[in-house]
Amino acid sequence: MHANAREQWNRDLSKIEVEGGTEDQKTVFYTALYHTLIHPNILQDVTGEYPKMESAEIGVTKENRYTVFSLWDTYRNVHQLMTLLYPDRQLNMIRSMIDIYNEHGWMPKWELYRRETYTMEGDPAIPVIVDSWLKGLRDFDVETAYEAFVKSATTPGPENKLRPDNDDYLKYGYVALRGKFDNSVSHALEYYIADWNLARWAEALGKKDDAKKFYERSFGYKHYYSKEYGTFRSILPDGSFLTPFDPLLGANFEPNPGFHEGNAWNYTFAVPHDIQGLIRLMGGQKKFAEKLQSVFDNGYFDVTNEPDIIYPHLFSQIKGEEWRTQKIVRDLLAKHFTNTTGGIPGNDDTGTLSTWALLNMIGFYPHCPGKPEYTVTAPVFDKVTIHLDPQFYKKDKLVIETNRKNADEYKIKSLTINGKEIKKFILSHDELVNAGIVIYNF
């Protein structure tokens, strides 16, 4: 049994082979990959029996039934990693989520061993499944999944298990602050990204009316933008902004009206589906870049807080500013992910922070769930070989090479894909998995 377990772990961890870098960087990297594979985990016994969702009944499955869906965390990067490296497992996880809906009537939010904890915000099953579908993983019950998503997006608040304040959201396009610490802004921001994903899926499935409705909803984040402070700000039931207001309140996890476990700066750029719209809202590219840079310069960025872990990658949405992404990511990796006691910055959130480190160390990161593309970052290794599953991808591997003179170089001049040099720093999923070899030119 020991030999079998060792063989399985070696096989899983060998999906990515790295060359170059320091021994400490390799330890950090493979520890991160190990962490990403702990959860979600298999629930059923060797007989196939498992406890049904929120029930005393026992079900029987012929494939793996997964549990521990920390989706508010993992929808941001873990499931994108699963889709890339272990697509068969990601499909099993999607089918498990649909089975949870069939048994319980709602998609999982933060499911833990067949119980729903309702922890954190949003409707995170939507971006997980839509992102995988857009990348070609489609062997699951699409009709039932879509039915589940429309249910959570349209059911009135009191009856809605996933969007408890949906009445405000459907009526006004935002969630008003109705309790002193009700996390209203945090809730709404998650509904926006979920509805944007649902709109993309509806459009792809030919459901034009649904697509139009959900797209329109997804841009409601603009209600929260306060020109006075340059941040998002809670809205009162009468439509006015909360006063007095301190955009730094919540930085030390103290209770904060409208925001969950963070301050306004941790959430103001957390609309990955419409960064260009946010740029316009903030007065253009120059002002946007300056404000985003100030988050790092003033110490407002928190690498342990999921809503803002995409912040470093947003510079790559502005031509000429991509180098900031490459530098900031490299600095954050060196500072926060080390081969020491406490070498992970806080709670790993079922592999989410480890996935952030792992993908950025490789050289790309999925900056928006439901948008099948990646921001280019500076690899820490000289060569990375990613073994792809030929059942799902045309090529059996993706090789990333660097031609820098020293390991400290971070500024990427261009990429070479299939012998062609390109000067862009966002790659589509198809471009990446079909590239064969990507050379990073420094």
Side-chain angles (χ1 to χ4, degrees):
M1 290 183 70
H2 177 269
N4 183 50
R6 184 178 180 84
E7 179 186 353
Q8 288 190 54
W9 275 111
N10 275 329
R11 184 169 62 247
D12 280 349
L13 296 174
S14 295
K15 289 286 283 187
I16 307 178
E17 298 176 67
V18 300
E19 301 174 37
T22 66
E23 288 303 307
D24 279 348
Q25 285 173 327
K26 290 177 181 176
T27 299
V28 168
F29 180 83
Y30 283 108
T31 301
L33 183 53
Y34 163 69
H35 286 161
T36 68
L37 292 167
I38 296 174
H39 297 299
N41 58 281
I42 293 168
L43 179 63
Q44 82 274 5
D45 207 337
V46 291
T47 60
E49 294 176 303
Y50 69 93
K52 288 188 175 182
M53 184 69 179
E54 294 289 354
S55 169
E57 292 184 36
I58 300 298
V60 179
T61 181
K62 293 183 179 179
E63 62 179 14
N64 287 330
R65 169 64 178 258
Y66 281 89
T67 185
V68 188
F69 285 103
S70 175
L71 295 177
W72 181 84
D73 306 294
T74 59
Y75 89 82
R76 303 168 196 276
N77 56 29
V78 172
H79 289 284
Q80 290 88 322
L81 180 70
M82 291 293 125
T83 296
L84 182 65
L85 294 184
Y86 314 98
D88 55 336
R89 296 181 206 181
Q90 175 66 3
L91 270 174
N92 257 197
M93 292 174 191
I94 290 172
R95 294 184 194 123
S96 294
M97 292 162 69
I98 295 171
D99 286 343
I100 287 171
Y101 169 74
N102 287 329
E103 294 166 10
H104 177 51
W106 298 92
M107 280 288 187
K109 186 173 188 175
W110 210 127
E111 178 271 350
L112 182 66
Y113 291 94
R114 64 89 179 166
R115 300 302 303 269
E116 180 53 67
T117 69
Y118 299 112
T119 303
M120 303 311 291
E121 281 78 40
D123 202 345
I126 296 178
V128 169
I129 293 178
V130 172
D131 188 271
S132 294
W133 190 89
L134 290 171
K135 291 173 180 172
L137 302 191
R138 302 183 177 181
D139 186 14
F140 60 87
D141 188 345
V142 169
E143 185 177 338
T144 298
Y146 188 82
E147 169 195 298
F149 296 159
V150 171
K151 178 181 179 180
S152 62
T154 59
T155 299
E159 294 83 36
N160 198 319
K161 298 283 189 181
L162 300 182
R163 304 189 187 196
D165 35 25
N166 212 28
D167 285 350
D168 265 5
Y169 183 72
L170 296 179
K171 185 176 181 179
Y172 304 116
Y174 60 86
V175 178
L177 182 71
R178 296 188 179 276
K180 190 173 182 182
F181 305 118
D182 68 355
N183 306 325
S184 54
V185 183
S186 300
H187 286 198
L189 291 176
E190 295 297 336
Y191 301 161
Y192 297 134
I193 183 67
D195 280 349
W196 182 82
N197 272 265
L198 184 51
R200 283 175 62 81
W201 207 23
E203 187 174 41
L205 295 175
K207 303 177 186 294
K208 294 182 179 179
D209 290 342
D210 280 359
K212 183 176 183 295
K213 175 174 64 178
F214 295 126
Y215 268 129
E216 289 175 352
R217 281 196 207 169
S218 72
F219 305 117
Y221 70 87
K222 297 172 185 178
H223 290 290
Y224 288 111
Y225 187 69
S226 167
K227 291 183 179 179
E228 180 182 356
Y229 288 91
T231 67
F232 291 156
R233 183 176 175 184
S234 300
I235 300 175
L236 298 173
D238 65 3
S240 64
F241 282 126
L242 173 68
T243 302
F245 173 67
D246 178 5
L248 288 177
L249 183 65
N252 298 308
F253 283 77
E254 67 272 19
N256 183 10
F259 297 94
H260 192 179
E261 295 182 358
N263 63 35
W265 286 107
N266 300 136
Y267 284 91
T268 291
F269 295 86
V271 286
H273 60 290
D274 191 33
I275 295 303
Q276 295 306 316
L278 188 63
I279 288 173
R280 290 190 293 272
L281 196 63
M282 291 183 173
Q285 293 185 348
K286 183 178 180 181
K287 289 184 178 179
F288 176 89
E290 289 174 351
K291 183 172 290 187
L292 184 57
Q293 184 63 50
S294 76
V295 174
F296 298 95
D297 294 343
N298 295 324
Y300 299 160
F301 177 73
D302 183 359
V303 73
T304 71
N305 206 2
E306 273 73 8
D308 65 7
I309 58 177
I310 58 161
Y311 282 21
H313 306 90
L314 300 183
F315 289 106
S316 290
Q317 303 277 343
I318 302 174
K319 189 171 180 59
E321 300 291 348
E322 299 93 344
W323 66 272
R324 295 182 189 270
T325 291
Q326 296 151 24
K327 183 180 190 306
I328 291 171
V329 166
R330 175 62 68 85
D331 291 345
L332 290 170
L333 285 170
K335 180 178 179 180
H336 296 289
F337 296 88
T338 58
N339 183 21
T340 61
T341 302
I344 299 174
N347 190 331
D348 199 30
D349 289 328
T350 59
T352 302
L353 295 189
S354 286
T355 302
W356 189 93
L358 182 153
L359 288 170
N360 281 308
M361 292 176 86
I362 290 174
F364 56 85
Y365 187 82
H367 52 263
C368 179
K371 188 177 287 187
E373 57 186 34
Y374 305 87
T375 296
V376 171
T377 60
V380 302
F381 304 107
D382 297 331
K383 182 178 180 180
V384 178
T385 302
I386 301 173
H387 297 280
L388 302 173
D389 189 333
Q391 295 183 71
F392 294 87
Y393 296 112
K394 296 176 182 178
K395 301 209 171 183
D396 61 0
K397 64 183 177 181
L398 165 65
V399 178
I400 293 172
E401 296 181 348
T402 60
N403 62 4
R404 60 189 161 213
K405 295 178 181 179
N406 64 75
D408 294 330
E409 286 187 90
Y410 64 83
K411 195 170 183 178
I412 305 166
K413 295 177 181 176
S414 65
L415 303 175
T416 301
I417 300 179
N418 294 325
K420 182 181 179 181
E421 186 176 5
I422 60 173
K423 291 187 177 182
K424 66 175 184 174
F425 300 95
I426 293 178
L427 298 177
S428 73
H429 178 73
D430 286 343
E431 283 179 305
L432 195 64
V433 297
N434 294 319
I437 298 176
V438 180
I439 300 174
Y440 284 57
N441 303 309
F442 289 83

